Amino acid sequence: MCGIVGYIGQKEATPVLVNALKKLEYRGYDSAGIAVFDGEDVIVRKAKGALKFLEEKIANETIKGSIGIGHTRWATHGEPSDINAHPQTNVSGSIAIVHNGIIENYMELKSWLQAQGIVFRSQTDTEVIAHLVNYYYEQNPDIFAAVLKAIHKLEGSYALGVVCKDYPDRLIAARKESPLIIGLGKDENFIASDVPPVLEYTRDVYFLDQKELAVLYADHVDLFTEDGEKVIKEPYHVDWDISSAEKGGYAHFMLKEIYEQPKALKDTLHPRLVKENNKNVDIKFDEVTFGENWKNAGRIVITACGTAYHAGAVAKYAFEQLARIPVVVDFASEFRYRNPILYKNDIFIVISQSGETADTLAALRLAKEAGAHIIAITNCVGSTVSREADDVIYTWAGPEIAVASTKAYTTQLMCLSLLALKMAHIRGTIDDKEFHALLDELEGIPDKAQTILDNQASIQRFASRNYNKEKVFYIGRQYDSATSLECALKLKEVSYMHSEAFAAGELKHGPIALIDRNTLVVATATSRSLFDKLKSNIVEVKSRGAATLVISQDDSGSFGDSADEVILIPEANEAFISMLSIIPAQLFAYYCAVQRGNDPDKPRNLAKSVTVE
């Protein structure tokens, strides 16, 4: 949820912290703050609202100091306000803390601390940590020991950055559940919730593991377990192009990331294609060992949240069609609470863009306890999901900054398509000829995605005429029904228009009662065998006054007399075409958001990485 940063080195900390927070605004933007030690005191400045309000607040003052922490907030405890913004401090202000996560036992701790005479100023769970650290510090003035004792009292999730007036040469960091990285510079070091904030300064990072702590000095970093034992690990070298974390001339990150999809799809696909004599002959995942468990699996279980769940819903059709294996797709937030039935021969796939989604991690751990083989699909190297799974497949999408996922979704679909094809070949449900033909088909998807983007003007025009609709319903059948879930989510996320997705055949079973002249119905139609049935659905809603849009590869005019507009996409196998049909819907959502005056990069009430339940 929230984003935290920290710096210790030779530079002035304030501009470094503010610059780093700009790279993390996608994680939270209802308030922001910094704490910098100026040689005498820990100076705290906080402001409600977007980061720009903090910048305005500190614009006319000089906050000197080369050690500090910063925070951009997505509220969980207490409304957005200056007081509830982070950093939070102890009573004297000598210890300041930033926190990402949720402390589940904070009320119990707060009551105990109040009984010790502590007066709380904010409504946050984070202030509890500051006072708890101070309590142990007063018993023994060793800031690392105080943090270590405090975190053993915390239940829930946290990534922490801590500065103390009495220890101006060090910055303490700790994590459990919530992500935290350490950036390793020359005579300077950093903490951050994600990699982009440190790329300007260093490419070498530590990914803190579960329940690890770090003590950062200007010239080195020490790592520890929760028991205070030293940890030795090799840093990871990040090879992203720094420009991929910047807007690069686009008006918004969301638009940039939509346009990056052809490259992201190629980057995700090409390293996994095995060629002989320039022909595609096999699929190879360096990260996955395809043993007998893939051939003899009883079923596939996929669990995820939000956009990643929708990728799993599409993949269900692909696995069942190609590999002829039953597939269960479940919301991670529901999976962990329903005493799920799991088998030793299950292939259990978890999908998470950030690799830190709290509900998905909980589902993963539950499945692991049951003995299932865990495959993780994620975009983030070193994330918790990637470390705890048996095998990991990376979507080489590069950093995704906009809150609403676009290239994460299509690259997840690419990975899932490759897995479905590989499994089908292993199980013998498709022969070599069909396997090679489908590989060729898959290799053509990135260029076809580019074709859609090169011809997006009609989508922008349609959005300009329909951005004020009261209701938008997405319909489809089979693969298209699953794709419609993501279409509706994108629109509601960034435009705040009421949108829902229905299997087209279910319209007459209730949803058609909602159709009127203030409704837009978007039909995704990519299964030729079902064109006539879908056309009937379009006629039904149009006769009731709805505006209609069809997204289809059909150029024969099948929908010309029933739809107000037809957006054509290139031909592709139905198992892969969702990677194409989603793109017009992404663009439509983006242009509707802009027309309505919204910032599509920072939708209200949402955050990029959902690290709390």
Side-chain angles (χ1 to χ4, degrees), residues 214-261:
V215 181
L216 288 75
Y217 304 87
D219 59 353
H220 72 283
V221 174
D222 293 328
L223 304 177
F224 299 89
T225 68
E226 64 175 336
D227 297 320
E229 297 176 356
K230 270 202 170 183
V231 174
I232 304 298
K233 64 170 68 177
E234 288 295 315
Y236 176 81
H237 184 75
V238 179
D239 56 8
W240 292 349
D241 178 358
I242 192 170
S243 65
S244 63
E246 305 293 344
K247 286 183 184 175
Y250 288 90
H252 298 95
F253 278 113
M254 183 179 179
L255 185 62
K256 174 179 180 279
E257 289 158 10
I258 290 172
Y259 272 82
E260 287 176 338
Q261 287 178 112

Side-chain angles (χ1 to χ4, degrees), residues 434-454:
E434 185 178 4
F435 179 61
H436 296 152
L438 288 170
L439 285 179
D440 292 344
E441 177 85 22
L442 202 54
E443 191 174 25
I445 292 294
D447 288 341
K448 292 176 180 178
Q450 186 63 56
T451 298
I452 298 171
L453 294 168
D454 291 341

Side-chain angles (χ1 to χ4, degrees), residues 111-402:
S111 296
W112 179 78
L113 287 163
Q114 286 173 325
Q116 311 304 310
I118 301 298
V119 176
F120 281 73
R121 291 164 292 194
S122 78
Q123 301 166 292
T124 68
D125 55 341
T126 301
E127 190 181 354
V128 167
I129 308 173
H131 294 310
L132 191 62
V133 170
N134 182 71
Y135 174 82
Y136 290 115
Y137 186 73
E138 288 181 342
Q139 293 180 348
N140 173 23
D142 179 329
I143 189 61
F144 177 74
V147 172
L148 199 61
K149 283 188 176 182
I151 64 174
H152 280 89
K153 297 291 185 181
L154 304 179
E155 296 175 9
S157 60
Y158 56 78
L160 302 176
V162 184
V163 293
C164 177
K165 172 182 176 178
D166 300 331
Y167 287 85
D169 65 334
R170 68 199 67 180
L171 166 62
I172 312 296
R175 78 158 292 233
K176 177 191 172 194
E177 309 293 351
S178 299
L180 195 62
I181 66 107
I182 310 296
L184 305 171
K186 182 174 174 56
D187 295 325
E188 59 182 2
N189 292 298
F190 310 80
I191 65 170
S193 296
D194 204 350
V195 172
V198 307
L199 285 181
E200 182 178 339
Y201 310 101
T202 181
R203 296 306 185 95
D204 295 317
V205 302
Y206 289 133
F207 294 101
L208 277 192
D209 285 321
Q210 187 76 314
K211 298 182 180 179
E212 281 188 348
L213 298 90
V215 181
L216 288 75
Y217 304 87
D219 59 353
H220 72 283
V221 174
D222 293 328
L223 304 177
F224 299 89
T225 68
E226 64 175 336
D227 297 320
E229 297 176 356
K230 270 202 170 183
V231 174
I232 304 298
K233 64 170 68 177
E234 288 295 315
Y236 176 81
H237 184 75
V238 179
D239 56 8
W240 292 349
D241 178 358
I242 192 170
S243 65
S244 63
E246 305 293 344
K247 286 183 184 175
Y250 288 90
H252 298 95
F253 278 113
M254 183 179 179
L255 185 62
K256 174 179 180 279
E257 289 158 10
I258 290 172
Y259 272 82
E260 287 176 338
Q261 287 178 112
K263 181 181 184 299
L265 287 165
K266 284 181 182 178
D267 290 346
T268 299
L269 170 66
H270 285 184
R272 278 86 187 226
L273 290 178
V274 178
K275 291 180 179 284
E276 291 180 4
N277 298 320
N278 209 33
K279 292 183 179 179
N280 296 310
V281 296
D282 204 356
I283 297 167
K284 180 183 179 183
F285 287 99
D286 292 334
E287 314 95 325
V288 181
T289 301
F290 291 97
E292 289 296 309
N293 59 324
W294 284 87
K295 185 175 183 179
N296 301 323
R299 62 177 184 165
I300 301 285
V301 179
I302 301 174
T303 187
C305 300
T307 288
Y309 170 85
H310 298 157
V314 173
K316 171 183 171 70
Y317 288 99
F319 275 105
E320 292 187 344
Q321 175 189 328
L322 297 172
R324 305 304 298 155
I325 185 170
V327 179
V328 175
V329 186
D330 213 338
F331 290 108
S333 56
E334 290 290 304
F335 180 85
R336 59 190 292 198
Y337 296 114
R338 63 173 179 81
N339 193 20
I341 300 169
L342 292 165
Y343 303 101
K344 298 282 187 182
N345 65 343
D346 284 342
I347 299 291
F348 194 89
I349 301 174
V350 297
I351 314 168
S352 169
Q353 184 277 143
S354 68
E356 304 292 348
T357 309
D359 287 318
T360 305
L361 277 166
L364 180 157
R365 290 162 183 161
L366 187 63
K368 202 164 189 176
E369 288 175 9
H373 187 80
I374 313 295
I375 311 294
I377 297 176
T378 181
N379 192 43
C380 294
V381 175
S383 60
T384 306
V385 159
S386 70
R387 294 195 302 273
E388 295 193 14
D390 297 305
D391 297 310
V392 59
I393 297 172
Y394 291 111
T395 58
W396 298 115
E400 190 180 62
I401 306 302

